[in-house]
């Protein structure tokens, strides 16, 4: 028996009984090749790196040579004094305030006169004062009368004033004072007398005061 003809539709030879089973007719048409999908799998591996070693050397303290000593500073408050007034007063130009109360600490001051403080030690003094006038504009300042023939003089930069005579005002200064002198609070202007009342609405007040500290 002869092999049948080739099928024209698929162009593939048909296997029949006349051909041994081990041998097959060759295919005349080629099958289309399928594209293979390639999947690449990546594995993430965590790697822990060891910490870097840092060699820390202990610092070496370098002691620099000592410089020259500076000027001596203030040693603090060595002495203090406070005087105040509850005395009704009528003060003219050139007159000083009278005080009737005092607190003395240390050895740099004494209070023996109503109108002045005694300075017993030479030094640097911080001084503040307050006045409560009742009438007229006025100017007051600190006067220092040194021991010896020199006359009393205004302590530089200690003069303060007010254009409203019914309000209290303050003055302050840092001054060098010599032992044996006296300090007073004196009226400077010529606008008329200044009245210092002792009460406001029936309540007693301090109408003038001086606070002085020896700081060096």
């Amino acid at each position: 028996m002869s092999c049948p003809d080739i099928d024209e539709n698929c162009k593939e030879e048909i296997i029949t009984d006349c051909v041994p089973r081990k041998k097959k007719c060759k295919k005349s048409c080629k099958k289309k090749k399928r594209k293979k999908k390639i999947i690449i799998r990546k594995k993430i591996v965590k790697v822990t790196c060891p910490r870097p070693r840092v060699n820390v050397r202990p610092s070496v303290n370098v002691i620099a040579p000592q410089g020259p000593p500076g000027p001596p500073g203030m040693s603090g408050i060595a002495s203090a004094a406070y005087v105040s007034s509850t005395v009704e007063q009528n003060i003219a130009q050139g007159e000083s305030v009278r005080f009737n109360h005092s607190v003395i600490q240390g050895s740099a001051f004494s209070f023996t006169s109503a109108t002045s403080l005694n300075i017993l030690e030479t030094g640097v003094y911080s001084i503040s004062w307050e006045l409560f006038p009742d009438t007229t504009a006025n100017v007051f300042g600190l006067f220092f009368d040194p021991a010896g023939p020199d006359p009393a003089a205004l302590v530089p930069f200690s003069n303060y004033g007010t254009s409203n005579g019914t309000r209290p005002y303050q003055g302050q200064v840092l001054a060098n004072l010599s032992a044996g002198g006296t300090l007073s609070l004196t009226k400077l202007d010529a606008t008329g007398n200044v009245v210092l009342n002792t009460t406001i609405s029936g309540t007693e007040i301090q109408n003038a005061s001086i606070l002085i500290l020896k700081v060096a």
Side-chain angles (χ1 to χ4, degrees):
M1 184 181 289
S2 60
C3 293
D5 296 332
I6 296 173
D7 187 7
E8 292 296 333
N9 292 328
C10 68
K11 292 183 179 180
E12 185 177 357
E13 296 179 357
I14 299 173
I15 302 171
T16 59
D17 293 338
C18 66
V19 180
R21 294 186 179 271
K22 293 182 180 181
K23 295 182 180 180
K24 298 180 180 179
C25 295
K26 294 182 180 180
K27 296 179 179 179
S28 59
C29 61
K30 293 182 180 181
K31 292 183 178 180
K32 294 182 180 180
K33 292 182 180 181
R34 294 181 180 179
K35 293 183 180 180
K36 293 183 179 181
K37 292 183 180 181
I38 300 174
I39 300 175
I40 299 173
R41 295 181 180 179
K42 294 182 180 180
K43 186 176 182 181
I44 300 173
V45 179
K46 292 183 179 181
V47 178
T48 303
C49 297
R51 293 182 178 179
R53 293 182 180 180
V54 180
N55 295 325
V56 180
R57 294 183 179 180
S59 60
V60 179
N61 293 328
V62 179
I63 301 175
Q66 186 175 358
M74 293 184 178
S75 57
I77 299 173
S79 296
Y82 171 78
V83 293
S84 65
S85 170
T86 55
V87 179
E88 187 171 350
Q89 304 179 53
N90 191 320
I91 304 172
Q93 183 184 18
E95 291 183 345
S96 297
V97 177
R98 301 189 306 275
F99 300 98
N100 63 334
H101 174 74
S102 67
V103 177
I104 305 296
Q105 297 290 333
S107 58
F109 311 101
S110 66
F111 182 61
T112 57
S113 171
T115 58
S116 61
L117 265 168
N118 301 317
I119 306 300
L120 306 180
E121 297 174 0
T122 299
V124 179
Y125 292 87
S126 174
I127 312 167
S128 61
W129 57 268
E130 185 173 12
L131 195 73
F132 199 159
D134 184 59
T135 56
T136 73
N138 55 88
V139 178
F140 277 74
L142 294 170
F143 268 72
F144 182 67
D145 188 2
D150 293 335
L154 177 70
V155 176
F157 316 114
S158 69
N159 49 315
Y160 292 78
T162 180
S163 59
N164 187 334
T166 60
R167 292 182 181 179
Y169 64 95
Q170 293 179 318
Q172 59 185 0
V173 71
L174 194 67
N176 288 290
L177 304 179
S178 57
T182 59
L183 187 72
S184 60
L185 182 59
T186 304
K187 186 177 186 299
L188 302 179
D189 67 280
T191 57
N193 290 10
V194 171
V195 176
L196 302 182
N197 284 332
T198 59
T199 60
I200 294 178
S201 300
T203 302
E204 186 179 67
I205 62 168
Q206 308 298 311
N207 55 28
S209 64
I210 298 176
L211 176 63
I212 179 169
L213 311 173
K214 184 183 180 185
V215 294

